Amino acid sequence: MQHWSQPMITVDDVSASSAFWCDVLGAESGHGGEEYEQIVADGEILLQLHHSGTEDHHGPLAEPGVRRGNGVLLWFEVADFDGTVERIRRSGATIVRGPEVNPNAQQSEIWFGDPDGYTGVVAGESRWRPRA
């Protein structure tokens, strides 16, 4: 059985957050808009963005006044780790740690802050992911 993650985060400015994540991940907009966005690469949704003030059909998704990203790491594995590190550096994101090799996972990693207070992690290829 195969599974695909499609995490969604709440953000204050969907367009700005979309531009940041598309740039950092080398991805593209899959939906566009001021209330909701999909960050897409190779036909797969990597991340969904939802405006913090838009309730839509489901009601509010975040508690107002509560710090975003507390305890949440948005983790992405990429084939071009070095190129992604350069895009992260150019983005002006705060580097939290790395790049370094995680001794447990045996992957290169870089941790960084996004504009809405979430921590993103980009890791190089994993020996655990099956490859074609």
Side-chain angles (χ1 to χ4, degrees):
M1 179 169 23
Q2 294 182 326
H3 300 84
W4 292 269
S5 297
Q6 296 181 354
M8 181 186 298
I9 59 174
T10 59
V11 300
D12 288 329
D13 185 332
V14 172
S15 295
S17 187
S18 174
F20 174 84
W21 283 104
C22 285
D23 180 41
V24 162
L25 296 174
E28 58 190 30
S29 167
H31 184 273
E34 296 300 314
E35 296 180 350
Y36 174 78
E37 171 67 293
Q38 297 171 343
I39 308 303
V40 178
D42 300 321
E44 298 287 339
I45 296 173
L46 303 178
L47 181 64
Q48 299 176 85
L49 309 172
H50 198 288
H51 188 268
S52 56
T54 302
E55 295 188 16
D56 201 22
H57 65 284
H58 42 62
L61 297 177
E63 188 70 33
V66 175
R67 191 180 131 236
R68 288 197 187 106
N70 184 24
V72 174
L73 299 174
L74 300 169
W75 207 287
F76 302 94
E77 180 183 337
V78 297
D80 181 13
F81 180 75
D82 293 335
T84 304
V85 167
E86 287 308 310
R87 288 193 301 274
I88 291 167
R89 286 184 172 138
R90 279 196 315 265
S91 78
T94 301
I95 306 299
V96 176
R97 63 182 302 151
E100 62 191 15
V101 175
N102 178 322
N104 297 320
Q106 296 298 304
Q107 287 177 281
S108 296
E109 297 175 357
I110 185 168
W111 297 31
F112 57 95
D114 92 332
D116 288 280
Y118 295 94
T119 299
V121 181
V122 169
E125 291 188 13
S126 166
R127 64 183 179 152
W128 304 111
R129 182 176 301 279
R131 306 281 183 231

